[in-house]
């Protein structure tokens, strides 16, 4: 993320309501100025007496940084622009705040980071090959899906994650977020939670499609091969900064920026072209719902 915040040193702080988003932006800026100063991660880590892995976590926006350490890094990088320094220090302070999801306890750090970025986004482009998009799942569908986690979360942990997912959906209900979702037809047939749960989920998709800020498209089986068949992904677009691509993985989650966002946007547009129109997609969902689980 080599661009300056909001196109200038001062940035657009009013658009950064999520502390996670602020940390992410701050980390990207710190990585940029470090690389411009030709300072390695190991050298920077020595300045603030942390490990190189911790320094990289700061630059990835996964953890915050206190003002004395931030000032020490900026000194080492030769940053003399007073406005930029003040902006980064303000971001460091904001980034130390706790998001609304903190009340749900010990959620995985990668999940907390995604929630924080999502909370700051104005639009999400989501492609799913196997499951209903997170922001459109019913409570029972989300519970059935979460319960099958290979790490076997406790019943209490499952309920916390379901509750978080339901609260995240307020972004859609209140119109704060626009969702463009492309689904493989397989998503509509997979009986997660059983026939009754899936029937309710299909109804929820039909209801969601009536919202002005939700667009659903389905890639039918008959479309054959298409771009990115094996990889679901999210593109998060922000009013106060460049976009971010998120890809969930078994061994770790990936956040990509810059050219990767542009490439994924080209792929997403290709997926939309391969998919049925929104109206034809709704007709397909209705047909699958009417046919029941045997279709």
């Amino acid at each position: 993320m080599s661009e300056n915040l909001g196109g200038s040193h001062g940035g657009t702080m009013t658009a950064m309501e999520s502390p996670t988003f602020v940390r992410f932006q701050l980390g990207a800026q710190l990585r940029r100025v470090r690389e411009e100063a030709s300072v390695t991660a190991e050298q920077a880590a020595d300045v603030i007496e942390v490990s190189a892995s911790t320094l990289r976590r700061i630059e990835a926006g996964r953890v915050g940084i206190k003002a004395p350490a931030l000032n020490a890094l900026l000194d080492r990088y030769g940053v003399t622009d007073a406005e930029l320094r003040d902006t980064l220090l303000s971001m460091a302070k904001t980034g130390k705040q706790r998001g609304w999801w903190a009340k749900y306890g010990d959620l995985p750090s990668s999940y907390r980071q995604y929630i924080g970025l999502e909370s700051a986004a104005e639009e999400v482009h989501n492609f799913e090959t196997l499951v209903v998009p997170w922001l459109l799942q019913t409570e029972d569908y989300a519970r059935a899906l979460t319960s099958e986690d290979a790490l076997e979360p406790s019943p209490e942990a499952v309920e916390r994650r379901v509750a978080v997912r339901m609260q995240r959906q307020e972004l859609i209900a209140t119109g704060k977020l626009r969702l463009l979702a492309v689904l493989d037809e397989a998503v509509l047939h997979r009986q997660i939670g059983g026939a009754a749960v899936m029937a309710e989920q299909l109804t929820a998709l039909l209801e969601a499609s009536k919202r002005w800020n939700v667009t659903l498209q389905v890639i039918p089986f008959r479309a054959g091969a298409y771009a990115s068949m094996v990889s679901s992904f999210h593109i998060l677009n922000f009013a106060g900064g460049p976009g971010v691509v998120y890809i969930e993985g078994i061994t770790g989650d990936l956040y990509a920026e810059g050219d990767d966002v542009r490439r994924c946007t080209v792929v997403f547009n290709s997926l939309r072209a391969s998919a049925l129109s929104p109206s034809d997609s709704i007709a397909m969902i209705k047909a699958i719902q009417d046919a029941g689980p045997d279709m």
Side-chain angles (χ1 to χ4, degrees), residues 235 245 254-266:
I235 304 172
V245 170
L254 171 67
Y255 290 93
E257 312 154 57
D259 288 339
D260 290 329
V261 176
R262 286 183 279 275
R263 281 192 288 269
C264 287
T265 298
V266 170

Side-chain angles (χ1 to χ4, degrees), residues 80-208:
T80 58
D81 186 319
E83 184 181 359
L84 175 58
R85 292 182 72 114
D86 287 346
T87 296
L88 297 180
L89 286 166
S90 177
M91 292 173 72
K93 181 178 180 180
T94 302
K96 298 294 287 184
Q97 298 175 4
R98 292 160 63 87
W100 60 260
W101 49 92
K103 66 184 179 182
Y104 289 99
D106 189 24
L107 298 171
S109 61
S110 59
Y111 188 34
R112 293 198 304 269
Q113 184 172 27
Y114 181 82
I115 296 171
L117 292 173
E118 180 186 73
S119 296
E122 65 174 6
E123 185 172 84
V124 173
H125 296 175
N126 183 195
F127 169 59
E128 292 291 347
T129 60
L130 295 174
V131 300
V132 169
W134 297 339
L135 291 173
L136 302 179
Q137 293 176 7
T138 66
E139 187 171 337
D140 286 339
Y141 184 100
R143 183 176 292 109
L145 192 62
T146 306
S147 297
E148 293 302 318
D149 191 313
L151 297 179
E152 299 182 350
S154 66
E156 293 77 15
V158 169
E159 291 306 314
R160 281 198 303 272
R161 295 191 195 182
V162 171
V164 171
R165 194 158 301 179
M166 294 304 103
Q167 183 158 348
R168 285 169 55 199
Q169 294 181 8
E170 288 299 307
L171 293 169
I172 297 295
T174 58
K176 292 181 179 179
L177 181 70
R178 185 180 179 203
L179 174 65
L180 280 72
V182 177
L183 319 177
D184 188 288
E185 185 181 341
V187 172
L188 306 176
H189 293 283
R190 186 173 298 277
Q191 297 292 300
I192 292 176
V197 169
M198 199 62 204
E200 180 186 35
Q201 179 62 76
L202 293 177
T203 298
L205 287 176
L206 294 173
E207 290 300 312

Side-chain angles (χ1 to χ4, degrees), residues 210-227:
K210 299 175 183 178
R211 294 185 177 277
W212 70 268
N213 56 332
V214 174
T215 300
L216 289 177
Q217 289 184 254
V218 178
I219 301 179
F221 289 147
R222 65 176 181 270
Y226 57 84

Side-chain angles (χ1 to χ4, degrees), residues 19-54:
T20 304
F21 181 61
V22 175
R23 282 199 305 272
F24 193 86
Q25 292 283 67
L26 172 60
Q29 291 295 308
L30 288 176
R31 184 175 68 251
R32 177 183 65 81
V33 295
R34 175 177 64 76
E35 292 174 348
E36 289 178 351
S38 298
V39 176
T40 67
E42 290 73 17
Q43 290 170 334
D46 287 342
V47 171
I48 57 176
E49 300 181 342
V50 298
S51 65
S53 62
T54 296

